[in-house]
Amino acid sequence: MYRMFGIAAFCAIAFVATTSQAEMKVGTGVRVITPDPLLPVSGGAGPTKPAHAKKGELNTRALVLQQGKTTVAIVSVDALGFPSVLGDRARKLVPRIPAANILIGATHTHSGPDFYAFPDGLGGHTGDLKYMDSVCTKIAEAINEALDNLQPASIKIATGDVQGQVTYNYYAPDLYDRRANVIQAITPDGKVIATLVNYATHPEVLGNDVGILSPDLVGPLYERIEKAVGGMAIFMNSAQGGMVTADNRLLDQPPKDPQRAYWNDARTWEECIRIGNALADESLRIVKDAPVQKDPGLYCASTEVTFPVQSKMLWAYVLLSPLKFPHGDDPAISTRINLVNLGNAQILTIPGEAFPNIGFYLKRKMRGKYNLLFGLTNDAFGYILTKVDFNSFPRYEYCSETSLGEMTGEILIDKSLELIKKSPSPGK
């Protein structure tokens, strides 16, 4: 389903869609994926760092929605990124759902093992292939468990601004999307089955320099929600590129660079708990009084999109990785974008870390009452910038170097708008 091929194939887009209107059913499944013994943690394309301790457990969590003949799986993995070549291994183990309807996203914790098998410059790589295989198996187990646990459900959906010191933009503090989108599935008698939180942030309170393997703030987020309302919590990131991150600034201390508004920060598990709990409380506040949608309607479409690979570094990863990314002679990568209508909400996936301006624009063009973006979903190949941002500011140098190329954002926007246009409007 995923493949890499030449730029000449840009105009060839495969479009797959399924839709249904019947009784909604929802199921959940969870698997722990914490490596034992601990593996080094990855914070990006650089070298991994040894882990001497863990805080919380790494998880993969599956939320399956079924209505009539349409089934959609939303899967979250506590990982920096989860490439499609691994996602496809898990999809093959779930024959009851069309592969194109299985959305696998990374939480983007910077305190988890490498899932890219980055070349180490010494003829080897920084990944553990056996561990990666085991995670693919556990993802499939979680999805299959969710299928086996399907039960009648209604849906609540809401969007609202998150208050408090939770997130900011490291590059420009006020330039980020404050909105959290929350989907909650409940039984006919009102019992919570699942709570999905969709919010843009980097779970990098700890980072990979402190030697701790952890889901970061996402772990405490899950624990807080599940303790408060029951059911399973699941987090899907959003457009958090450049550089929307957890607000662990020590605002009671003088800034380390007043002119550029750079502060000292707290890189502790206690800070993960504070931010995770705050986001959980805000998410539950936002969804609490949302109306119940008893027959919400479910639709899923997908399309393949091709991006040229301008980055020599990322193309080297494609060519040298032991994961054996499929590719052609031309430096280009093909990946999948999904669009899901659930009740009066519309969900669009992004195969990487889109900048906030791209996220705001796509949400404005989507057609739901509530519009959600699942970032780092189906793939996670670097930052996604518009051409006017790409390599235009010194502060964006790293983001440009770890982006597929100048046209990535433009192509993503164009193909996303095509997918939105071809899809029916979500219910009211």
Side-chain angles (χ1 to χ4, degrees):
M1 185 59 71
Y2 289 74
R3 60 184 183 278
M4 299 182 183
F5 47 86
I7 297 175
F10 283 165
C11 60
I13 303 176
F15 182 84
V16 180
T18 57
T19 186
S20 188
Q21 185 83 32
E23 181 186 51
M24 171 66 68
K25 294 182 178 180
V26 174
T28 63
V30 181
R31 288 293 184 276
V32 174
I33 59 170
T34 306
D36 184 15
L38 301 180
L39 291 173
V41 296
S42 175
T48 56
K49 303 293 180 63
H52 58 77
K54 71 171 183 176
K55 292 291 185 179
E57 300 285 0
L58 302 183
N59 280 244
T60 180
R61 292 167 176 246
L63 173 65
V64 171
L65 308 168
Q66 186 177 85
Q67 197 167 40
K69 297 181 179 180
T70 303
T71 305
V72 178
I74 298 171
V75 182
S76 180
V77 186
D78 285 326
L80 181 72
F82 204 76
S84 60
V85 69
L86 293 179
D88 283 348
R89 295 183 192 177
R91 292 181 178 96
K92 289 180 180 178
L93 302 176
V94 189
R96 289 181 285 174
I97 304 178
N101 286 21
I102 300 176
L103 289 54
I104 303 176
T107 62
H108 201 52
T109 176
H110 282 51
S111 299
D114 169 26
F115 280 96
Y116 292 91
F118 290 121
D120 61 7
L122 303 173
H125 58 83
T126 58
D128 186 305
L129 301 184
K130 184 177 180 181
Y131 170 71
M132 294 181 198
D133 269 336
S134 72
V135 171
C136 293
T137 300
K138 289 181 179 180
I139 288 173
E141 289 176 358
I143 300 172
N144 284 316
E145 177 182 299
L147 279 165
D148 293 338
N149 290 338
L150 286 170
Q151 59 182 308
S154 298
I155 301 294
K156 295 172 64 176
I157 306 174
T159 297
D161 286 358
V162 171
Q163 307 295 329
Q165 187 183 346
V166 175
T167 298
Y168 79 116
N169 190 327
Y170 181 76
Y171 292 167
D174 213 30
L175 185 60
Y176 72 99
D177 192 343
R178 290 166 173 77
R179 294 168 292 181
N181 303 282
V182 186
I183 299 174
Q184 197 167 71
I186 58 176
T187 64
D189 59 359
K191 182 180 179 181
V192 173
I193 301 171
T195 303
L196 184 151
V197 177
N198 174 226
Y199 184 67
T201 193
H202 272 69
E204 57 175 353
V205 175
L206 296 174
N208 74 324
D209 290 329
V210 298
I212 296 175
L213 188 142
S214 174
D216 206 87
L217 67 90
V218 177
L221 168 79
Y222 289 157
E223 291 181 6
R224 184 81 155 200
I225 290 175
E226 292 171 357
K227 182 178 180 180
V229 298
M232 183 196 76
I234 180 170
F235 175 78
M236 300 297 289
N237 222 315
S238 188
Q240 39 59 269
M243 179 68 68
V244 181
T245 190
D247 193 354
N248 60 338
R249 293 174 296 175
L250 296 170
L251 298 176
D252 58 344
Q253 297 182 8
K256 61 183 179 182
D257 188 338
Q259 186 175 8
R260 302 177 75 185
Y262 292 162
W263 299 77
N264 294 301
D265 49 39
R267 296 196 172 274
T268 65
W269 178 242
E270 289 71 26
E271 187 70 355
C272 290
I273 294 173
R274 183 192 70 77
I275 296 175
N277 286 353
L279 180 55
D281 292 345
E282 284 295 282
S283 299
L284 293 177
R285 175 186 63 80
I286 288 167
V287 79
K288 180 180 178 182
D289 296 324
V292 175
Q293 302 180 46
K294 294 185 177 181
D295 298 302
L298 180 64
Y299 167 92
C300 184
S302 66
T303 187
E304 285 194 359
V305 181
T306 300
F307 301 103
V309 182
Q310 183 177 339
S311 168
K312 293 182 179 179
M313 178 182 68
L314 293 184
W315 187 240
Y317 291 159
V318 170
L319 297 178
L320 299 176
S321 173
L323 298 182
K324 299 180 180 180
F325 292 96
H327 61 84
D329 294 332
D330 294 328
I333 182 171
S334 177
T335 191
R336 178 189 296 128
I337 294 175
N338 280 91
L339 186 139
V340 176
N341 288 348
L342 175 63
N344 56 7
Q346 195 161 70
I347 301 167
L348 180 71
T349 67
I350 297 175
E353 301 179 64
F355 269 43
N357 53 344
I358 295 176
F360 273 105
Y361 180 77
L362 289 175
K363 282 187 177 181
R364 183 161 61 84
K365 293 296 183 179
M366 293 166 70
R367 297 192 288 176
K369 180 178 180 180
Y370 305 106
N371 296 309
L372 292 72
L373 300 174
F374 286 177
L376 299 129
T377 298
N378 296 335
D379 248 325
F381 270 102
Y383 288 101
I384 301 177
L385 299 75
T386 60
K387 64 182 179 181
V388 296
D389 287 331
F390 184 86
N391 214 21
S392 295
F393 307 98
R395 201 66 186 90
Y396 287 174
E397 182 178 358
Y398 172 76
C399 294
S400 300
E401 289 177 350
T402 52
S403 169
L404 292 175
E406 179 176 329
M407 296 305 296
T408 307
E410 311 303 317
I411 295 169
L412 173 70
I413 291 171
D414 289 345
K415 301 309 178 186
S416 296
L417 294 181
E418 287 181 18
L419 186 59
I420 293 167
K421 184 177 180 180
K422 291 178 180 179
S423 304
S425 295
K428 296 181 180 180

